[in-house]
Protein backbone atom coordinates (compact mmCIF):
# COMPACT_ATOMS: atom_id res chain seq x y z
CA UNK A 1 0.00 0.00 0.00
CA UNK A 2 1.58 3.26 -1.10
CA UNK A 3 1.95 6.29 1.10
CA UNK A 4 -0.68 8.09 -0.94
CA UNK A 5 -3.28 6.09 0.98
CA UNK A 6 -2.38 8.17 4.02
CA UNK A 7 -2.73 11.52 2.28
CA UNK A 8 -5.22 13.78 4.06
CA UNK A 9 -8.72 14.03 2.68
CA UNK A 10 -9.85 17.29 1.16
CA UNK A 11 -10.93 20.02 3.55
CA UNK A 12 -14.50 19.59 2.32
CA UNK A 13 -14.45 15.87 3.04
CA UNK A 14 -13.00 16.47 6.50
CA UNK A 15 -15.72 19.03 7.32
CA UNK A 16 -18.33 16.52 6.23
CA UNK A 17 -16.79 13.82 8.41
CA UNK A 18 -16.78 16.17 11.37
CA UNK A 19 -20.42 17.02 10.79
CA UNK A 20 -21.68 13.46 10.58
CA UNK A 21 -19.40 12.10 13.27
CA UNK A 22 -21.29 9.80 15.62
CA UNK A 23 -18.63 10.14 18.27
CA UNK A 24 -21.20 11.75 20.58
CA UNK A 25 -22.39 8.25 21.64
CA UNK A 26 -25.20 6.75 19.60
CA UNK A 27 -26.92 5.19 22.60
CA UNK A 28 -28.23 8.60 23.61
CA UNK A 29 -30.94 7.82 21.02
CA UNK A 30 -31.70 4.36 22.30
CA UNK A 31 -34.50 3.47 19.90
CA UNK A 32 -32.50 4.48 16.83
CA UNK A 33 -29.50 2.52 18.07
CA UNK A 34 -31.54 -0.65 18.52
CA UNK A 35 -33.00 -0.29 15.04
CA UNK A 36 -29.55 0.32 13.55
CA UNK A 37 -28.22 -2.88 15.09
CA UNK A 38 -31.48 -4.79 14.71
CA UNK A 39 -30.01 -7.51 12.43
CA UNK A 40 -27.41 -8.37 15.08
CA UNK A 41 -30.06 -8.43 17.80
CA UNK A 42 -32.32 -10.67 15.69
CA UNK A 43 -29.51 -13.08 14.83
CA UNK A 44 -28.64 -13.46 18.49
CA UNK A 45 -32.29 -14.01 19.45
CA UNK A 46 -32.66 -16.63 16.72
CA UNK A 47 -29.64 -18.47 18.07
CA UNK A 48 -31.27 -18.65 21.52
CA UNK A 49 -34.92 -19.27 20.70
CA UNK A 50 -36.33 -22.18 18.70
CA UNK A 51 -39.46 -20.57 17.26
CA UNK A 52 -39.60 -17.53 14.91
CA UNK A 53 -42.72 -16.08 16.52
CA UNK A 54 -40.91 -16.02 19.87
CA UNK A 55 -38.08 -14.02 18.34
CA UNK A 56 -40.57 -11.48 17.02
CA UNK A 57 -42.24 -11.22 20.44
CA UNK A 58 -38.93 -10.63 22.22
CA UNK A 59 -37.78 -8.04 19.69
CA UNK A 60 -41.07 -6.18 19.85
CA UNK A 61 -41.04 -6.10 23.65
CA UNK A 62 -37.40 -5.03 23.72
CA UNK A 63 -37.89 -2.19 21.26
CA UNK A 64 -40.97 -0.88 23.06
CA UNK A 65 -39.17 -0.95 26.39
CA UNK A 66 -36.09 0.79 25.01
CA UNK A 67 -38.09 3.48 23.22
CA UNK A 68 -40.19 4.18 26.31
CA UNK A 69 -37.46 3.97 28.96
CA UNK A 70 -34.13 4.19 27.15
CA UNK A 71 -31.13 2.29 28.42
CA UNK A 72 -30.01 2.20 32.04
CA UNK A 73 -26.57 3.62 32.65
CA UNK A 74 -23.84 1.67 30.92
CA UNK A 75 -20.97 0.47 33.11
CA UNK A 76 -18.26 2.94 32.14
CA UNK A 77 -15.59 0.64 33.55
CA UNK A 78 -16.32 -1.75 30.68
CA UNK A 79 -17.33 0.82 28.12
CA UNK A 80 -18.27 -1.57 25.31
CA UNK A 81 -21.90 -1.19 24.48
CA UNK A 82 -21.88 -4.29 22.31
CA UNK A 83 -21.45 -6.45 25.41
CA UNK A 84 -24.05 -4.50 27.34
CA UNK A 85 -26.61 -4.81 24.55
CA UNK A 86 -25.90 -8.53 24.18
CA UNK A 87 -26.61 -9.04 27.88
CA UNK A 88 -29.77 -6.94 27.57
CA UNK A 89 -31.02 -9.10 24.70
CA UNK A 90 -30.25 -12.32 26.55
CA UNK A 91 -32.07 -11.03 29.63
CA UNK A 92 -35.05 -10.18 27.43
CA UNK A 93 -35.04 -13.75 26.12
CA UNK A 94 -34.89 -15.19 29.62
CA UNK A 95 -37.70 -12.90 30.79
CA UNK A 96 -39.79 -14.14 27.88
CA UNK A 97 -39.10 -17.76 28.75
CA UNK A 98 -40.16 -17.28 32.37
CA UNK A 99 -43.65 -16.21 31.32
CA UNK A 100 -46.53 -18.70 31.65
CA UNK A 101 -47.04 -20.77 28.53
CA UNK A 102 -50.48 -19.30 27.91
CA UNK A 103 -48.87 -15.86 27.65
CA UNK A 104 -45.83 -16.94 25.68
CA UNK A 105 -47.58 -19.08 23.10
CA UNK A 106 -50.87 -17.38 22.36
CA UNK A 107 -52.97 -19.58 20.07
CA UNK A 108 -50.66 -22.60 20.37
CA UNK A 109 -51.56 -25.91 21.89
CA UNK A 110 -49.20 -27.13 24.57
CA UNK A 111 -49.94 -30.76 23.82
CA UNK A 112 -46.87 -32.73 22.85
CA UNK A 113 -44.48 -29.77 23.30
CA UNK A 114 -41.40 -30.70 25.31
CA UNK A 115 -40.42 -28.19 27.95
CA UNK A 116 -36.78 -28.40 26.89
CA UNK A 117 -37.78 -27.00 23.50
CA UNK A 118 -38.13 -23.61 25.17
CA UNK A 119 -34.76 -23.54 26.90
CA UNK A 120 -32.17 -21.25 25.25
CA UNK A 121 -29.65 -23.06 23.13
CA UNK A 122 -26.71 -24.45 25.05
CA UNK A 123 -24.46 -23.76 22.07
CA UNK A 124 -23.23 -20.41 23.35
CA UNK A 125 -20.21 -20.28 21.00
CA UNK A 126 -22.57 -20.46 18.01
CA UNK A 127 -24.72 -17.71 19.49
CA UNK A 128 -21.64 -15.60 20.14
CA UNK A 129 -20.45 -16.07 16.56
CA UNK A 130 -23.85 -15.06 15.23
CA UNK A 131 -23.76 -11.97 17.42
CA UNK A 132 -20.30 -10.77 16.40
CA UNK A 133 -20.79 -11.61 12.71
CA UNK A 134 -23.99 -9.61 12.49
CA UNK A 135 -22.59 -6.79 14.62
CA UNK A 136 -19.70 -6.48 12.16
CA UNK A 137 -22.17 -6.50 9.28
CA UNK A 138 -24.15 -3.69 10.90
CA UNK A 139 -21.02 -1.60 11.37
CA UNK A 140 -20.15 -1.99 7.70
CA UNK A 141 -23.72 -1.32 6.56
CA UNK A 142 -23.70 1.90 8.55
CA UNK A 143 -20.46 2.97 6.87
CA UNK A 144 -21.96 2.20 3.45
CA UNK A 145 -25.03 4.27 4.29
CA UNK A 146 -22.88 7.23 5.25
CA UNK A 147 -20.69 6.86 2.18
CA UNK A 148 -23.81 6.92 0.02
CA UNK A 149 -24.93 10.08 1.84
CA UNK A 150 -21.54 11.62 1.11
CA UNK A 151 -21.92 10.90 -2.60
CA UNK A 152 -25.40 12.42 -2.68
CA UNK A 153 -24.11 15.57 -0.98
CA UNK A 154 -21.10 15.79 -3.30
CA UNK A 155 -22.42 15.41 -6.87
CA UNK A 156 -18.93 15.78 -8.34
CA UNK A 157 -17.73 12.67 -6.51
CA UNK A 158 -18.57 9.01 -6.91
CA UNK A 159 -17.19 7.58 -3.68
CA UNK A 160 -19.92 5.04 -3.00
CA UNK A 161 -20.35 3.99 -6.64
CA UNK A 162 -16.66 3.39 -7.34
CA UNK A 163 -16.13 1.48 -4.10
CA UNK A 164 -19.14 -0.77 -4.72
CA UNK A 165 -17.89 -1.39 -8.26
CA UNK A 166 -14.50 -2.44 -6.92
CA UNK A 167 -16.06 -4.72 -4.30
CA UNK A 168 -18.40 -6.34 -6.81
CA UNK A 169 -15.68 -6.98 -9.39
CA UNK A 170 -12.23 -6.66 -7.83
CA UNK A 171 -10.53 -8.22 -10.88
CA UNK A 172 -11.74 -5.59 -13.37
CA UNK A 173 -9.20 -3.07 -14.60
CA UNK A 174 -9.55 0.62 -13.84
CA UNK A 175 -10.27 1.32 -17.51
CA UNK A 176 -13.03 -1.28 -17.54
CA UNK A 177 -14.54 0.11 -14.35
CA UNK A 178 -14.38 3.65 -15.73
CA UNK A 179 -16.21 2.56 -18.87
CA UNK A 180 -18.91 0.95 -16.74
CA UNK A 181 -19.25 4.12 -14.69
CA UNK A 182 -19.66 6.19 -17.86
CA UNK A 183 -22.33 3.83 -19.18
CA UNK A 184 -24.20 3.52 -15.87
CA UNK A 185 -24.06 7.09 -14.62
CA UNK A 186 -23.14 9.16 -17.64
CA UNK A 187 -20.17 10.59 -15.78
CA UNK A 188 -16.86 11.69 -17.26
CA UNK A 189 -14.28 9.25 -15.98
CA UNK A 190 -11.18 7.44 -17.20
CA UNK A 191 -8.99 4.77 -15.63
CA UNK A 192 -6.79 7.30 -13.85
CA UNK A 193 -9.69 9.24 -12.34
CA UNK A 194 -11.36 5.97 -11.29
CA UNK A 195 -8.22 4.91 -9.40
CA UNK A 196 -8.00 8.28 -7.67
CA UNK A 197 -11.65 8.25 -6.65
CA UNK A 198 -11.35 4.65 -5.46
CA UNK A 199 -8.34 5.44 -3.28
CA UNK A 200 -10.19 8.38 -1.77
CA UNK A 201 -13.35 6.30 -1.25
CA UNK A 202 -11.46 3.54 0.55
CA UNK A 203 -9.87 6.01 2.94
CA UNK A 204 -13.18 7.71 3.58
CA UNK A 205 -14.91 4.38 4.20
CA UNK A 206 -12.21 3.33 6.67
CA UNK A 207 -12.66 6.57 8.60
CA UNK A 208 -16.41 6.03 8.71
CA UNK A 209 -15.89 2.54 10.15
CA UNK A 210 -13.66 3.95 12.89
CA UNK A 211 -16.22 6.63 13.72
CA UNK A 212 -19.07 4.14 13.90
CA UNK A 213 -17.09 1.81 16.16
CA UNK A 214 -16.26 4.76 18.39
CA UNK A 215 -19.97 5.53 18.63
CA UNK A 216 -20.58 2.14 20.25
CA UNK A 217 -18.12 2.74 23.08
CA UNK A 218 -18.86 4.63 26.27
CA UNK A 219 -15.32 6.04 26.31
CA UNK A 220 -13.90 5.92 22.81
CA UNK A 221 -10.20 6.18 23.54
CA UNK A 222 -7.76 4.85 20.96
CA UNK A 223 -6.97 1.60 22.77
CA UNK A 224 -10.64 0.66 23.14
CA UNK A 225 -11.47 1.57 19.56
CA UNK A 226 -8.58 -0.50 18.23
CA UNK A 227 -9.50 -3.42 20.47
CA UNK A 228 -13.07 -3.33 19.21
CA UNK A 229 -11.92 -3.14 15.60
CA UNK A 230 -9.75 -6.20 16.19
CA UNK A 231 -12.55 -8.12 17.92
CA UNK A 232 -14.89 -7.34 15.02
CA UNK A 233 -12.26 -8.44 12.49
CA UNK A 234 -12.06 -5.01 10.89
CA UNK A 235 -8.65 -3.75 11.95
CA UNK A 236 -6.56 -5.58 9.37
CA UNK A 237 -8.70 -4.35 6.49
CA UNK A 238 -8.58 -0.67 7.45
CA UNK A 239 -5.29 -0.15 9.29
CA UNK A 240 -3.42 0.82 6.10
CA UNK A 241 -6.20 3.17 5.03
CA UNK A 242 -6.41 5.40 8.09
CA UNK A 243 -3.82 8.07 8.88
CA UNK A 244 -0.93 7.20 11.21
CA UNK A 245 -2.21 9.78 13.69
CA UNK A 246 -5.78 8.44 13.59
CA UNK A 247 -5.94 8.43 17.40
CA UNK A 248 -6.11 12.23 17.36
CA UNK A 249 -7.45 13.06 13.90
CA UNK A 250 -10.36 10.60 14.03
CA UNK A 251 -10.96 10.61 17.79
CA UNK A 252 -10.69 14.29 18.73
CA UNK A 253 -12.41 13.73 22.08
CA UNK A 254 -9.63 11.49 23.38
CA UNK A 255 -7.73 14.34 24.93
CA UNK A 256 -10.37 14.54 27.61
CA UNK A 257 -10.29 10.80 28.44
Amino acid sequence: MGTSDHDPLSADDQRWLDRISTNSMAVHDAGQFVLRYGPAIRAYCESLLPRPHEVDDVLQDLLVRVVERGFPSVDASKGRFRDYLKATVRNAVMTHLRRPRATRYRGLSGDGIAEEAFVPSADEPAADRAWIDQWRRCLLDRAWTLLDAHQREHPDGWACAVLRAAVEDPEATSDTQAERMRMRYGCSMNGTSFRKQLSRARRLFARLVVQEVAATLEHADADRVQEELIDCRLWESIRELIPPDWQTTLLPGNASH
Side-chain angles (χ1 to χ4, degrees), residues 15-36:
R15 284 192 296 269
W16 182 84
L17 279 170
D18 292 342
R19 178 167 61 82
I20 60 90
S21 174
T22 54
N23 209 29
S24 59
M25 188 59 178
V27 294
H28 288 163
D29 188 342
Q32 182 183 35
F33 193 87
V34 168
L35 290 174
R36 183 184 300 179

Side-chain angles (χ1 to χ4, degrees), residues 6 59-60 67 84 98 132 142-143 153 170-172 184 199 206 210 217 227-228 247 250 253 256:
H6 291 316
L59 293 179
Q60 181 177 350
V67 169
Y84 173 82
R98 293 190 190 103
I132 196 67
R142 174 64 175 168
E153 292 187 30
E171 301 302 321
R184 183 177 301 178
S199 175
V210 172
L217 301 175
E227 180 184 5
E228 183 69 352
Q247 296 92 335
L250 299 185
S256 63

